[in-house]
Amino acid sequence: MLSCKPVVWIGLVSYSAYLWHWPLVSFFRYGHAEVGLITGTSIFALTFMLAWLTYLFIERPARSSKASAIRIFSLQYVIPAGAIAVISLGAMYVDGYGFRWQSEEYVSRLNAFRDQTRPAYKFDYVCQRQRVQVSDTRDERCVTGTDSDIGPRVILWGDSNAAHYIGVVSAIAREAGFRVRNLELGSCPPLFDDPALFVAANRLRDCRDSAEPVAAAVRASDVVIISASWSDPQTIRPFSRLIFSTYAVSN
């Protein structure tokens, strides 16, 4: 059975088919959601057509070529790969060749998606800074939760990892009827103590200069929620002192 010509042909083009099928399926899903019966059949046929062309014009010539390895490498790898790179970068530069921008629905959905998936620090209510100033500890844009004239008595404090929890903490605050302030200091662990043991040298000054305004805001709060990338400081110094300092703050 394996010696039948159709089966042998499939074997000859199988590796090329393997390389082609997934990009075709992926690009179709990116643009048109799920693959149905008709589209799946079309992709299947297109896969084997491209695989056969690849076998004829790339695989077989490479195997039987009498040219030097450098010439084969240049003609069949460097030049095609360079052409694909240019096309890909061009597509990225014009954002999909610009065709989709003619659809108002596409542009509207894309803008909504980009707004929903922005990094946490790009939202106005996220107070993530490289250096915290006194003005940041009083900024009303950094306060979320229920609408009230009463100042926030809850604070979310930490490094950039804390910013990822503002959404859920804010939702809890709205439901429970309280307000919460957030203060995040990039690459600086939430410590009152000197952070020299736990931060990179290029962040040490910002961490130290931010300590006083952050400490004042934390001490003025009734509830302190702490979040940080606890594993990072271990790569710099032993972790025991960081745990002790955090315990001292929470008590």
Side-chain angles (χ1 to χ4, degrees), residues 40-87:
T41 303
S42 301
I43 291 173
F44 182 82
L46 182 60
T47 296
F48 276 96
M49 184 186 75
L50 292 171
W52 177 241
L53 294 174
T54 302
Y55 174 76
L56 286 180
F57 298 108
I58 297 177
E59 275 195 57
R60 201 161 66 177
R63 289 176 177 176
S64 59
S65 176
K66 303 297 183 182
S68 65
I70 294 178
R71 181 175 174 81
I72 294 176
F73 182 77
S74 300
L75 292 177
Q76 298 209 11
Y77 177 74
V78 175
I79 294 176
I84 292 172
V86 170
I87 294 172

Side-chain angles (χ1 to χ4, degrees), residues 49-246:
M49 184 186 75
L50 292 171
W52 177 241
L53 294 174
T54 302
Y55 174 76
L56 286 180
F57 298 108
I58 297 177
E59 275 195 57
R60 201 161 66 177
R63 289 176 177 176
S64 59
S65 176
K66 303 297 183 182
S68 65
I70 294 178
R71 181 175 174 81
I72 294 176
F73 182 77
S74 300
L75 292 177
Q76 298 209 11
Y77 177 74
V78 175
I79 294 176
I84 292 172
V86 170
I87 294 172
S88 301
L89 292 172
M92 292 169 60
Y93 181 75
V94 298
D95 200 5
Y97 300 109
F99 296 139
R100 294 171 300 184
W101 289 102
Q102 298 177 14
S103 169
E104 293 184 3
E105 180 185 0
Y106 171 80
V107 174
S108 176
R109 291 174 61 186
L110 179 63
N111 289 335
F113 176 78
R114 285 176 171 171
D115 183 67
Q116 294 169 3
T117 57
R118 281 183 294 166
Y121 67 87
K122 288 191 174 182
F123 287 89
D124 292 339
Y125 58 84
V126 177
C127 228
Q128 181 179 331
R129 305 287 187 265
Q130 290 300 96
R131 178 180 296 191
V132 173
Q133 310 287 346
V134 174
S135 58
D136 295 320
T137 67
R138 300 170 181 171
D139 193 339
E140 281 297 310
R141 292 176 300 178
C142 303
V143 178
T144 58
T146 188
D147 293 331
S148 173
D149 295 332
I150 302 175
R153 305 299 297 174
V154 178
I155 189 169
L156 173 62
W157 171 38
D159 59 14
S160 58
N161 284 260
H164 297 285
Y165 295 104
I166 295 173
V168 66
V169 172
S170 299
I172 294 172
R174 287 192 296 271
E175 290 294 322
F178 65 90
R179 306 179 78 206
V180 57
R181 176 179 296 282
N182 69 90
L183 280 176
E184 295 82 36
L185 191 55
S187 302
C188 296
L191 297 174
F192 285 162
D193 202 358
D194 187 358
L197 290 175
F198 313 110
V199 300
N202 63 326
R203 295 291 300 131
L204 182 56
R205 183 172 181 179
D206 286 336
C207 294
R208 283 174 170 169
D209 291 348
S210 302
E212 186 174 341
V214 169
V218 170
R219 290 191 175 101
S221 303
D222 294 335
V223 177
V224 181
I225 304 171
I226 300 176
S227 172
S229 178
W230 303 113
S231 60
D232 286 350
Q234 297 184 65
T235 63
I236 301 174
R237 291 290 189 277
F239 199 42
S240 58
R241 187 180 175 192
L242 178 59
I243 296 175
F244 175 78
S245 299
T246 304

